Amino acid sequence: MGERKTLGPRIATWIPYAWLIIFFLAPFLIVFKISLSEPTLAVPPYAPVFESLADIWVKIGALSFANYTWLAEDALYIKAYGSSLWIAFVSTILAFLIGYPIAYGMARAPRGLRPILLMMVILPFWTSFLIRVYAWIGILKPEGLLNQFLFFVGVIDQPLTIINTNIAVYIGIVYSYLPFMVLPLYASLERMDETLLEAAADLGSTPLKTFWQVTFPLSLPGVFAGALLVFIPAVGEFVIPDLLGGSETLMIGRTLWNEFFFNRDWPVASAVAIVLLALLVVPIVIFQNAQARMRETR
Amino acid sequence: MQAITARLLAAAAISFLPLNAAAQDQVVNVFNWSDYIGEGVLDDFTAETGIKVVYDVYDTMEMMEAKLLAGSSGYDVIVPTDRNLQRLIKAEVLQKLDESKLPNLKHQWEEIRQELGAYDPDTQYSTNYMWGTTGIGYNVGKIEERMPGAPVDSWDLIFDPEIIAKFADCGVHLLDAPDDMIPAALHYLGLNPNSKDSDEIRQAGELLKSIRPHVQKFHSSEYINGLANGDICLAVGYSGDVLQARDRAAEAENNVTVEYSIPKEGAMIWLDSFAVPADAPHADNAHAFINFMLRPDIAARNSNYVYYANGSKASQPMLDEEVLTDPAIYPDDDIVAKLYTTSISPPRAQRTITRVWTEVKTGQ
């Protein structure tokens, strides 16, 4: 007690805070402030509610949450949030079902092969995200590669309509975010102590039982991390629904774009963004709690 | 430590302010649509005037407008489209042009100047660069195959549910732009295309909903590739974009022939015009640049390259034959007489338009 900390560690602890304050809290407060204002045709295109910090206390009682009530009253936004969460949720499940066997296979592969497999998961990042999404248009369109192949094999006689539907959006999201699922899963599976598996086998556990009772529980932190890394960006995804989705694909990222660029309604767009952020805090908190509980039980 | 921080901050400041750092040089910062200027024109401008051009492009008008409305854009010349121009004037983002510095204004096309007046009264803030129409792009072979003698020169092709239904299987795209599609629907119904009346806008919405089942997608640029590759066969689009699809299809030799038609009932004219932001750091250079672009030989070079009609009447003798005689680029006078303009909507009408448009698109 009373021991003076040296400068170095104190700076080190402050760096993450400073980072969060400058790049997260400050922009958040600016967006929040805009969300309380009224749209006008001027530069900037909103009327400020309060001019200074001192002003806040004077006007705090009169703050207008009209943009938020507008969001609540209009079914469009609720539907857009709902369908974004649903699409992100389904995509996360699909990415997990595909990603887990991949990560498992990688972690159980011969040690020398693992860096190569890891490289193959990361390799797609060397091509622009946008180009990879465009490539899916070529694959999924009516005269695209997929339909041509299925014709050739004789599975279909009518081209499948995949492009411009929600199915294409699922394919696009799962494809794009799969590495974010695989990498944390691989990290947690690879780190696993293999003697635990041997012990389970020695005690008479079948491989399947060992998987469910030992391997899978131990990989849960990777599952949660992967799920969050897929779910959170998928909720706000804009490019994939715009390029692969149909006109009825309603996602909040697109709605936000419309409000900001098309309606030039910066206040409502800001309110949409704030609500989206609030919605995303929920899964993060669940994740934190789950992690904390896991640490306790261990 | 402090010295390093100071140096880092200085470096950051410089990297964020490239425009200001270059202020001592003779430069003009131009913000234009992508792929929208003749080859070598910028070099010739620099060679003649000694003013270096910092050329920046956008591919959606919304992006440009958002940048301008955020303030301190640093641009000297921008090329907003009609309604965006009107909004920027209202938002006091632009400065009036100094006509004494624009002697080439005398070559401009009076009819087009008057059309532009719908958005910029007396054209005090702007002068036209290029203009075109919003009409119909189609795949000649696929349309003929499904409906011999289809009315490709009429809005019936789009707005008659029985006709458009014939093309649903080969792919129909409409612009994802209520400001273009709702006026077109209003015009087809015989109403004022610039109507701000809620009931009339809803009527236009009903018409659009009646053809909605036959529309594959609402998107404002995908149809260029779609038409060129033969993925879609019918689209409502901007003249220049459809002509680009036509040329791409011709170059690809993929047995796809794309044509553009301005419906005989009339269509909307769009006007991309030069303007100078109020806070332009080099307003004089901006005028020099605009004046150069208005020179008939330069205007002709631009049109011969981008295949759009320009706002300079005096440039027409210097245009390539295939540009001047193409009715998709330079329509006949009786069609020009039927082109209409619109205007920005007051907030309430804008909200109705947005609401109706969302209903149309999502089919609800």
Side-chain angles (χ1 to χ4, degrees), chain A residues 41-45 70 74 76 79 141 143 164 242-243 245 247-248 257 260-266, chain B residues 62-63 65-66 69-71 87 90-91 93 178 212 216-219 222 231 351 354-355 358 361 364:
Chain A
L41 198 47
V43 179
W70 167 251
D74 198 319
L76 168 75
K79 268 187 211 158
K141 67 184 185 182
E143 296 94 33
N164 298 332
D242 189 57
L243 290 177
S247 300
E248 67 286 340
W257 196 96
F260 187 83
F261 286 106
F262 192 76
N263 285 347
R264 294 155 207 94
D265 197 335
W266 290 23
Chain B
E62 287 79 14
M63 213 68 92
E65 208 182 317
L69 287 178
R87 240 184 324 261
K90 279 232 167 98
V93 176
R212 171 69 182 93
Q216 189 193 74
K217 191 163 188 176
F218 292 85
H219 202 281
E222 233 177 88
D231 294 338
R351 210 159 256 189
T354 311
R355 167 68 41 253
T358 308
K361 276 204 305 184
Q364 282 159 0

Side-chain angles (χ1 to χ4, degrees), chain A residues 25-36:
Chain A
L25 192 62
F28 174 83
L29 289 176
I30 292 170
V31 171
F32 184 64
K33 183 187 159 213
I34 297 175
S35 79
L36 300 176

Side-chain angles (χ1 to χ4, degrees), chain B residues 5-84:
Chain B
T5 319
R7 225 177 296 161
L8 279 176
L9 280 176
I14 288 168
S15 64
F16 282 124
L17 298 166
L19 301 180
N20 294 1
Q24 293 94 326
D25 305 327
Q26 280 291 319
V27 296
V28 60
N29 299 312
V30 179
F31 200 25
N32 194 1
W33 285 96
S34 58
D35 209 9
Y36 208 33
I37 193 162
E39 267 177 322
V41 167
L42 295 179
D43 292 338
D44 290 1
F45 172 72
T46 306
E48 266 185 40
T49 60
I51 300 170
K52 204 173 140 260
V53 182
V54 180
Y55 196 72
D56 211 352
V57 297
Y58 48 86
D59 45 19
T60 66
M61 185 46 65
E62 287 79 14
M63 213 68 92
M64 185 273 248
E65 208 182 317
K67 236 178 175 173
L68 264 292
L69 287 178
S72 311
S73 66
Y75 293 111
D76 298 307
V77 179
I78 55 170
V79 190
T81 307
D82 36 56
R83 284 178 306 263
N84 303 82

Side-chain angles (χ1 to χ4, degrees), chain B residues 235-309:
Chain B
V236 172
Y238 305 114
S239 51
D241 285 347
V242 177
L243 295 176
Q244 203 183 328
R246 180 181 76 179
D247 295 345
R248 275 195 216 168
E251 277 166 27
E253 294 176 3
N254 55 0
N255 288 325
V256 172
T257 311
V258 176
E259 282 297 345
Y260 176 74
S261 95
I262 306 173
K264 58 174 188 272
E265 296 91 346
M268 186 139 96
I269 181 173
W270 54 255
L271 304 133
D272 288 340
S273 307
F274 291 115
V276 180
D279 59 357
H282 319 98
D284 280 346
N285 295 350
H287 283 82
F289 181 82
I290 295 172
N291 194 48
F292 183 79
M293 297 294 276
L294 296 185
R295 224 170 71 186
D297 60 319
I298 299 297
R301 262 172 72 186
N302 286 329
S303 279
N304 287 338
Y305 181 78
V306 301
Y307 280 62
Y308 286 87

Side-chain angles (χ1 to χ4, degrees), chain A:
Chain A
M1 285 304 250
E3 198 181 323
R4 284 186 55 174
K5 277 187 186 170
T6 48
L7 192 64
R10 225 184 300 164
I11 289 177
T13 35
W14 267 100
I15 287 173
Y17 285 111
W19 180 272
L20 281 176
I21 288 169
I22 296 170
F23 293 107
F24 179 75
L25 192 62
F28 174 83
L29 289 176
I30 292 170
V31 171
F32 184 64
K33 183 187 159 213
I34 297 175
S35 79
L36 300 176
S37 59
E38 284 283 312
T40 57
L41 198 47
V43 179
Y46 55 89
V49 192
F50 37 79
E51 302 292 345
S52 67
L53 278 175
D55 213 21
I56 297 177
W57 300 111
V58 182
K59 292 189 181 161
I60 199 131
L63 278 184
S64 159
F65 288 90
N67 295 315
Y68 291 91
T69 39
W70 167 251
L71 293 190
E73 280 163 8
D74 198 319
L76 168 75
Y77 300 100
I78 295 164
K79 268 187 211 158
Y81 282 119
S83 85
S84 293
L85 290 172
W86 175 249
I87 288 174
F89 175 74
V90 173
S91 305
T92 307
I93 301 280
L94 292 173
F96 168 74
L97 292 177
I98 299 168
Y100 202 95
I102 295 176
Y104 190 85
M106 281 166 64
R108 293 289 168 270
R111 197 165 283 278
L113 204 59
R114 287 182 207 168
I116 299 168
L117 293 173
L118 200 59
M119 198 67 228
M120 285 167 72
V121 172
I122 302 170
L123 207 60
F125 289 118
W126 291 10
T127 313
S128 151
F129 169 70
L130 201 59
I131 289 174
R132 285 182 283 133
V133 176
Y134 261 107
W136 276 104
I137 298 180
I139 296 170
L140 299 175
K141 67 184 185 182
E143 296 94 33
L145 295 173
L146 179 68
N147 274 315
Q148 279 178 10
F149 174 75
L150 293 177
F151 262 121
F152 177 74
V153 181
V155 183
I156 52 168
D157 48 12
Q158 278 281 335
L160 297 175
T161 317
I162 302 177
I163 194 80
N164 298 332
T165 67
N166 281 357
I167 297 171
V169 176
Y170 287 127
I171 293 174
I173 293 179
V174 171
Y175 162 76
S176 303
Y177 293 113
L178 193 60
F180 296 106
M181 178 62 91
V182 171
L183 294 176
L185 281 174
Y186 170 74
S188 67
L189 285 169
E190 205 241 357
R191 237 182 303 141
M192 197 180 293
D193 189 351
E194 280 184 40
T195 54
L196 291 173
L197 303 180
E198 283 165 21
D202 288 347
L203 294 170
S205 173
T206 63
L208 196 66
K209 207 172 168 192
T210 309
F211 175 79
W212 280 116
Q213 294 193 332
V214 181
T215 312
F216 187 71
L218 284 175
S219 68
L220 273 180
V223 175
F224 281 120
L228 275 187
L229 284 177
V230 174
F231 184 79
I232 290 174
V235 174
E237 184 53 54
F238 168 72
V239 172
I240 296 169
D242 189 57
L243 290 177
L244 301 178
S247 300
E248 67 286 340
T249 308
L250 195 61
M251 282 191 79
I252 201 68
R254 230 177 174 190
T255 310
L256 187 84
W257 196 96
N258 281 342
E259 288 299 343
F260 187 83
F261 286 106
F262 192 76
N263 285 347
R264 294 155 207 94
D265 197 335
W266 290 23
V268 163
S270 304
V272 170
I274 296 281
V275 171
L276 181 62
L277 204 64
L279 283 177
L280 289 180
V281 165
V282 176
I284 295 172
V285 169
I286 293 173
F287 173 65
Q288 295 280 6
N289 282 346
Q291 251 191 347
R293 222 176 304 131
M294 252 185 295
R295 248 178 254 129
E296 276 165 27
T297 52
R298 206 171 285 165

Side-chain angles (χ1 to χ4, degrees), chain B residues 29 53 122 136 146 198 318:
Chain B
N29 299 312
V53 182
D122 302 325
I136 300 170
R146 282 165 180 78
S198 290
M318 286 169 258

Side-chain angles (χ1 to χ4, degrees), chain B residues 135-137 151 154-161 163-165 167 172-174 181 188 207-208 211 215 234-236:
Chain B
I136 300 170
S154 163
W155 282 115
D156 288 339
L157 196 67
I158 300 291
F159 288 118
D160 185 330
I163 296 179
I164 193 174
F167 311 114
V172 180
H173 277 206
L174 298 187
M181 293 308 305
Y188 183 76
L207 175 63
L208 285 160
I211 61 164
V215 176
L234 187 57
V236 172

